[in-house]
Amino acid sequence: MDTGNEHITVEKKKEIGIITINRLEARNALNRKMLHELGDTLTCLENDLQIRVVIITGNKDFCAGADIKEMNEIKPEEIESFCRWGHKVINQIENMGKPVIAAITGFALGGGCELAIACDIRIAGKAAKFGQPEVNLGLIPGFGGTQRLSRLVGIARAKEMILTGKIIDAKEAESIGLVNRVVKDEELMIAAEEMAQVIAQKAPIAVKMAKTLINENQEIERGLEKEINLFAQCFATRDRPEGINAFLEKRKPEFKGI
Ligand code: HXC
């Protein structure tokens, strides 16, 4: 389906809409244009009566997070609205009236991991890797990760991932409940489409209501709002440019806590 998008493509296979993130040169890192394209694509699929299930995947990698180079150019006074916008797009996935399956290949880091955990179900290829490495940049997760990860894997595991920034493999991700299932990399889309097909055969209104009710239990809004606020505060510290510049210069950061 030609959407005119540059980095977010969409293919329709009967009742299944497949969104692919495609920005190979930056490991599918999300810039502002891509967030825009992703939001528009989700709206299209939400309104498309033929589509019953959505799959989100990536070309080679799932997504290495927000575009760090672009983020470095955002002024501290503008970061809150950027973060709020990211939340809006990620919330669209969670609040969509159709199930969304993440089919994860390669890296799902930072905002990419947050994108995956906002989906209803996650299937990973064996070589997939997950992490919330924002602390390495002097930041915190800013697309809902501080709230959704602990609900998914428990507070202890979420704290370990977010505070150490460590990257875990698909097997560990499965063992802590971060992904539903791990399959051979070459069978990832087959497995995701099979599961999507099973759900697509069920009664759409019942599926939508079940999803809505399970999400209702999460009571996430207050924490999400606070995350936006504290992300902006972190972004205003001097450790943030140190962390981001260290990444861009491929060196270790020296954080001072100011
Ligand atoms: C911009 C990125 C990027 C990112 C990778 N690249 N991740 N560019 N934003 N998030 C670019 C690299 O700069 C590099 O460009 C190219 O992709 C290939 O990456 P390499 O680092 O050379 O590859 P490799 O050594 O294999 O390491 C892969 C990697 C690493 C582990 C994924 O790139 C990495 O750690 N990336 C950053 C992950 C991260 O910190 N994500 C969180 C972002 S903050 P060049 O030009 O050198 O070839 C975030 C916050 C969300 O997501 C909330 C915001 C409000």
Side-chain angles (χ1 to χ4, degrees):
M1 198 172 114
D2 185 16
T3 54
N5 287 344
E6 189 182 355
H7 295 300
I8 305 289
T9 60
V10 58
E11 181 190 359
K12 288 199 325 186
K13 284 193 176 173
K14 293 191 184 154
E15 303 97 339
I16 303 168
I18 304 174
I19 297 175
T20 304
I21 308 170
N22 196 354
R23 189 178 169 226
L24 276 177
E25 71 278 11
R27 295 196 176 267
N28 293 343
L30 290 170
N31 59 27
R32 280 189 270 197
K33 186 164 188 283
M34 290 163 78
L35 270 179
H36 211 85
E37 291 180 358
L38 181 58
D40 287 350
T41 305
L42 290 165
T43 304
C44 274
L45 294 176
E46 176 83 276
N47 295 334
D48 187 328
L49 296 180
Q50 199 200 347
I51 296 297
R52 291 189 173 188
V53 182
V54 173
I55 296 174
I56 303 183
T57 191
N59 186 2
K60 294 228 167 102
D61 290 295
F62 186 71
C63 170
D67 185 320
I68 296 172
K69 287 174 203 160
E70 192 186 72
M71 228 171 25
N72 213 21
E73 285 155 20
I74 299 178
K75 295 192 188 97
E77 59 272 24
E78 292 166 355
I79 197 67
E80 188 181 319
S81 68
F82 171 73
C83 192
R84 196 171 291 286
W85 181 26
H87 271 237
K88 191 167 166 258
V89 176
I90 301 288
N91 291 348
Q92 248 182 292
I93 296 170
E94 191 165 71
N95 298 328
M96 201 166 189
K98 316 173 181 197
V100 185
I101 298 172
I104 302 147
T105 163
F107 286 108
L109 300 180
C113 189
E114 294 171 287
L115 175 65
I117 60 181
C119 295
D120 300 297
I121 292 166
R122 282 152 294 284
I123 302 179
K126 259 189 174 162
K129 293 201 162 48
F130 300 81
Q132 296 289 162
E134 288 89 346
V135 277
N136 298 330
L137 305 170
L139 287 169
I140 57 172
F143 283 166
T146 62
Q147 304 306 302
R148 292 193 181 95
L149 189 59
S150 54
R151 284 163 170 83
L152 201 57
V153 303
I155 288 175
R157 303 282 195 191
K159 281 185 178 163
E160 187 178 344
M161 281 183 73
I162 292 173
L163 303 184
T164 67
K166 75 171 185 173
I167 293 177
I168 62 171
D169 62 21
K171 196 162 160 252
E172 187 173 351
E174 185 183 32
S175 76
I176 64 173
L178 178 49
V179 299
N180 296 64
R181 195 195 301 168
V182 180
V183 298
K184 287 183 186 157
D185 290 295
E186 59 276 19
E187 289 169 9
L188 178 63
M189 288 315 289
I190 299 169
E193 286 178 35
E194 268 175 14
M195 191 181 287
Q197 267 304 334
V198 170
I199 298 171
Q201 304 313 309
K202 311 299 176 194
I205 296 172
V207 166
K208 177 180 174 175
M209 286 183 178
K211 170 173 170 169
T212 307
L213 282 166
I214 296 166
N215 286 349
E216 194 69 34
N217 200 24
Q218 301 297 311
E219 293 179 358
I220 202 170
E221 289 78 14
R222 211 160 58 101
L224 287 176
E225 187 57 32
K226 193 142 194 185
E227 182 187 273
I228 295 173
N229 193 271
L230 295 191
F231 185 90
Q233 286 187 37
C234 275
F235 197 86
T237 63
R238 281 196 222 159
D239 279 342
R240 185 269 304 173
E242 167 59 14
I244 290 191
N245 288 328
F247 171 76
L248 297 175
E249 292 158 16
K250 302 185 193 281
R251 63 170 171 83
K252 203 169 172 288
E254 278 184 46
F255 292 127
K256 302 231 160 51
I258 48 172

